[in-house]
């Protein structure tokens, strides 16, 4: 064994030794709970009936196919993710393009954009529940003063209203993250590319399509993956704002999972719900990578 090999082996050993505490902490705090939740999902495990705990394999997962509550929540979750994702990406791109320009007060506006992201989901839900309140809500007050409505409306009483206002609250909370990622992507685009496109008489739309979009595909990939995960896992804002109602209009899979575990104490089936969310987001993330990653390569 040569001296360089010994030195490399020593460096590798030292590196593993220095990272060992962090790796052990990750295993204890992350890997073990994840693995244990999957193990629990393979059991009939209801805290109200501890004696009936039994290993049933994939029966919890197979039962979801005929579970009307789960299927309804899955449809709500899919539509919720679609609405939130489309609105977030479109508005985020528009705001990022605006904030990437040079104008007076740009620094202040960039700072203000971050404020909604700093709000915890519970605070975000409480704020918008106050705004949409049927009796004392600020939205009713403003619209009444403007003469746009004759009387106060119960915005969250209808199924469509509750759904779209809940989606709006989610967009408000997560939009700043999208703006930050896309703005960082825009700042890396060489100015020379736009100058060259202008010399070639490319219009605004052509410059956006041929220069901006290819450079933003990788940041957009990050946004799509993380925002999809956030929308699928959204719980606190929905729970505080509507509680899943009216009816099941805003009962997503994440909300149903918590209800199944905390209200019905069925941790086995609730764990299966949680793992379904994980698998769905994983499949969607892989699809995003397959569609956008290679297309995002841009050679100068």
């Amino acid at each position: 064994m040569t001296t360089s090999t010994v030195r490399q082996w020593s460096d590798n050993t030292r590196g593993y030794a220095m990272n060992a505490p962090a790796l052990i902490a990750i295993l204890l705090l992350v890997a073990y709970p994840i693995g244990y939740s999957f193990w629990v999902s393979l059991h009939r495990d209801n805290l109200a009936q501890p004696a009936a705990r039994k290993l049933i394999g994939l029966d919890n997962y197979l039962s979801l196919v005929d579970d009307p509550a789960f299927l309804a929540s899955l449809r709500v979750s899919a539509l919720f993710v679609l609405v939130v994702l489309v609105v977030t990406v479109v508005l985020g791109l528009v705001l990022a393009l605006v904030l990437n320009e040079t104008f007076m007060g740009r620094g202040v506006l960039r700072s203000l954009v971050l404020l909604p992201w700093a709000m915890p989901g519970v605070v975000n839900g409480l704020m918008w529940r106050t705004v949409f309140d049927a009796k004392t809500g600020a939205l009713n007050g403003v619209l009444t003063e403007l003469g746009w409505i004759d009387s106060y409306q119960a915005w969250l009483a209808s199924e469509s209203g509750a759904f779209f206002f809940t989606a709006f609250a989610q967009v408000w909370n997560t939009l700043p993250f999208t703006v930050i990622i896309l703005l960082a992507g825009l700042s890396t685009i060489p100015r020379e590319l736009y100058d060259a496109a202008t010399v070639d008489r490319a219009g605004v739309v052509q410059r956006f399509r041929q220069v901006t979009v290819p450079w933003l595909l990788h940041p957009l990939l990050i946004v799509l993956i993380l925002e999809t995960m956030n929308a699928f896992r959204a719980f606190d804002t929905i729970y505080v704002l509507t509680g899943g109602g009216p009816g099941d209009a805003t009962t997503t899979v994440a909300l149903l999972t918590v209800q199944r575990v905390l209200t019905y104490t069925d941790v086995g089936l609730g764990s299966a719900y949680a793992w379904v969310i994980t698998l769905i987001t994983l499949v969607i993330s892989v699809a995003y990578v397959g569609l956008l990653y290679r297309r995002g390569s841009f050679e100068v």
Side-chain angles (χ1 to χ4, degrees), residues 74-90:
L74 190 60
R75 287 191 293 270
V76 172
S77 293
L79 183 58
F80 184 80
V81 170
L82 179 62
V83 172
V84 169
L85 197 61
V86 170
V87 175
T88 300
V89 171
V90 173

Side-chain angles (χ1 to χ4, degrees), residues 34 37-42 57-67 69-75 77-78 81 228-229 231-233 252-257 267-285:
I34 291 175
S37 69
F38 179 70
W39 176 249
V40 171
S41 73
L42 302 178
L58 298 176
D59 285 358
N60 280 329
Y61 294 93
L62 296 176
S63 68
L64 300 182
V65 178
D66 299 321
D67 187 345
F70 173 78
L71 295 177
S73 68
L74 190 60
R75 287 191 293 270
S77 293
V81 170
T228 299
M229 293 172 59
F232 254 113
R233 297 180 305 174
T252 60
V253 177
L255 186 61
L256 187 65
T257 300
V267 294
L269 191 57
S271 297
Y273 283 176
W275 269 95
V276 167
I277 297 176
T278 302
L279 293 175
I280 290 175
T281 54
L282 177 61
V283 170
I284 295 175
S285 299

Side-chain angles (χ1 to χ4, degrees), residues 238-261:
I238 299 175
Y239 180 78
V240 173
L241 192 57
T242 64
D248 297 326
T250 57
T251 302
T252 60
V253 177
L255 186 61
L256 187 65
T257 300
V258 176
Q259 290 176 346
R260 181 66 64 181
V261 173

Side-chain angles (χ1 to χ4, degrees), residues 10 18 51 105 122 137 144 174 183 210 246 256 263-264 284 297:
S10 177
M18 295 180 66
V122 173
T144 302
T174 59
L183 188 58
Q210 297 175 4
L256 187 65
T263 304
Y264 302 105
I284 295 175
S297 58

Side-chain angles (χ1 to χ4, degrees), residues 7 45 85 109 118 137 142 194 213 236 239 269 283 296:
R7 186 181 298 110
D45 191 356
L85 197 61
L109 188 57
V142 171
Y194 289 110
V213 171
D236 39 13
Y239 180 78
L269 191 57
V283 170

Side-chain angles (χ1 to χ4, degrees), residues 115-154:
L115 291 180
W117 194 32
M119 287 186 181
V122 173
V123 176
N124 183 55
L126 288 172
M127 180 188 73
W128 288 112
R129 190 176 69 177
T130 302
V131 172
F132 298 141
D133 188 86
K135 297 181 179 179
T136 59
L139 179 61
N140 276 317
V142 171
L143 295 180
T144 302
E145 289 296 324
L146 293 175
W148 291 0
I149 58 176
D150 297 326
S151 60
Y152 277 29
Q153 306 293 319

